[in-house]
């Protein structure tokens, strides 16, 4: 079951996947849309086992120049949308005995990043909400984990806000010196959604080409 405010594009993806997929309009900031999404999924498939909270937007700007409107827009989609999605699926997952919730955060949820204060705030919030939900829902067999991608080749990093960014230079210093591909993140999400990830909950799974690896260690003088 695919949901997005871009309903035409969402339907096209569902069509490409065949009879096993459905789509519906979903504004993640609206409680009524989430209720409809859960109802539609259960009607279509008989049960609801997995939620992937993947909706996200970014508004670039330094702290001093970021408007309250832009800040709140990012928080509403990225943070409030994740909260509403988790809350909406709990009864549907609890009744059959469990499920898996995967919240897409970012490596920006693990460190500060200049110029995207709303985005960073929302991604840190997702990290904390994931841990709290895992503590509360584990007793019902519901696992909750967060995934923290680095740069991924999606329309977001090609947006107008990043026209001046040299993308190749951004990723060149990473241990894996390239941008990530959506399929690489999807495979990690699939692991967490499946029974292969049955002993993981409340955890953070980073897929950023090693971008954070050099930020947490100390250099050692070999001499």
């Amino acid at each position: 079951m695919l949901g997005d405010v871009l309903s035409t594009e969402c339907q096209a993806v569902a069509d490409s996947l065949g009879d096993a997929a459905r789509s519906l309009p979903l504004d993640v900031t609206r409680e009524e849309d989430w209720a409809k999404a859960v109802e539609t999924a259960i009607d279509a498939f008989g049960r609801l086992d997995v939620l992937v909270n993947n909706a996200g937007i970014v508004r670039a700007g330094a702290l001093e120049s970021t408007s309250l409107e832009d800040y709140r827009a990012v928080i509403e989609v990225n943070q409030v949308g994740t909260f509403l999605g988790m809350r909406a699926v709990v009864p549907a997952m609890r009744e059959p005995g469990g499920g898996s919730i995967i919240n897409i955060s970012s490596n920006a949820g693990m460190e500060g990043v200049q110029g995207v204060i709303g985005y960073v705030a929302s991604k840190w919030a997702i990290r904390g909400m994931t841990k709290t939900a895992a503590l509360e829902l584990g007793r019902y067999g519901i696992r909750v984990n967060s995934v923290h991608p680095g740069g991924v080749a999606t329309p977001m990093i090609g947006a107008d806000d990043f026209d001046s960014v040299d993308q190749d230079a951004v990723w060149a210093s990473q241990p894996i010196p390239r941008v990530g591909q959506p399929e690489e993140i999807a495979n990690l999400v699939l692991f967490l959604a499946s029974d292969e990830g049955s002993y993981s909950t409340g955890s953070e799974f980073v897929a950023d080409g090693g971008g954070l690896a050099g930020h947490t260690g100390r250099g050692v003088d070999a001499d």
Side-chain angles (χ1 to χ4, degrees):
M1 180 61 64
L2 310 176
D4 203 301
V5 292
L6 302 174
S7 54
T8 300
E9 293 89 336
C10 191
Q11 183 62 55
V13 174
D15 290 344
S16 75
L17 296 174
D19 293 339
R22 309 283 192 280
S23 77
L24 82 167
L26 173 62
D27 180 341
V28 297
T29 69
R30 294 170 59 90
E31 291 180 88
E32 56 269 34
D33 280 19
W34 275 111
K36 180 65 175 178
V38 171
E39 178 186 358
T40 303
I42 293 173
D43 287 346
F45 303 114
R47 57 186 290 162
L48 197 161
D49 300 291
V50 177
L51 168 67
V52 181
N53 272 314
N54 189 48
I57 64 172
V58 64
R59 298 285 186 271
L63 167 62
E64 190 175 8
S65 61
T66 297
S67 69
L68 180 58
E69 180 182 13
D70 279 349
Y71 181 85
R72 282 179 168 165
V74 173
I75 296 300
E76 282 291 314
V77 174
N78 298 7
Q79 179 178 336
V80 176
T82 296
F83 161 74
L84 291 175
M86 290 196 293
R87 193 182 67 176
V89 302
V90 170
M93 289 185 177
R94 182 173 55 210
E95 184 175 352
S100 177
I101 298 172
I102 302 107
N103 296 323
I104 307 301
S105 179
S106 169
N107 62 358
M110 310 287 283
E111 63 174 354
V113 180
Q114 295 185 74
V116 283
I117 190 165
Y119 185 79
V120 169
S122 70
K123 295 304 184 177
W124 276 79
I126 289 172
R127 182 182 174 192
M129 291 192 298
T130 295
K131 292 183 178 297
T132 297
L135 292 171
E136 295 181 1
L137 302 179
R139 71 197 72 175
Y140 306 123
I142 301 172
R143 298 182 292 109
V144 191
N145 292 286
S146 57
V147 171
H148 298 256
V152 181
T154 69
M156 180 179 285
I157 67 170
D160 291 343
D161 283 342
F162 302 105
D163 279 347
S164 62
V165 175
D166 182 343
Q167 297 290 347
D168 291 337
V170 169
W171 320 120
S173 62
Q174 294 183 162
I176 301 176
R178 61 171 175 82
V179 70
Q181 296 302 311
E183 294 81 2
E184 293 175 298
I185 309 306
N187 285 331
L188 177 53
V189 171
L190 181 60
F191 165 77
L192 294 171
S194 75
D195 291 339
E196 298 298 317
S198 58
Y199 200 51
S200 296
T201 196
S203 295
E204 299 145 349
F205 292 80
V206 177
D208 72 342
L212 289 174
H215 296 190
T216 56
R218 292 182 179 272
V220 176
D221 187 343
D223 295 333

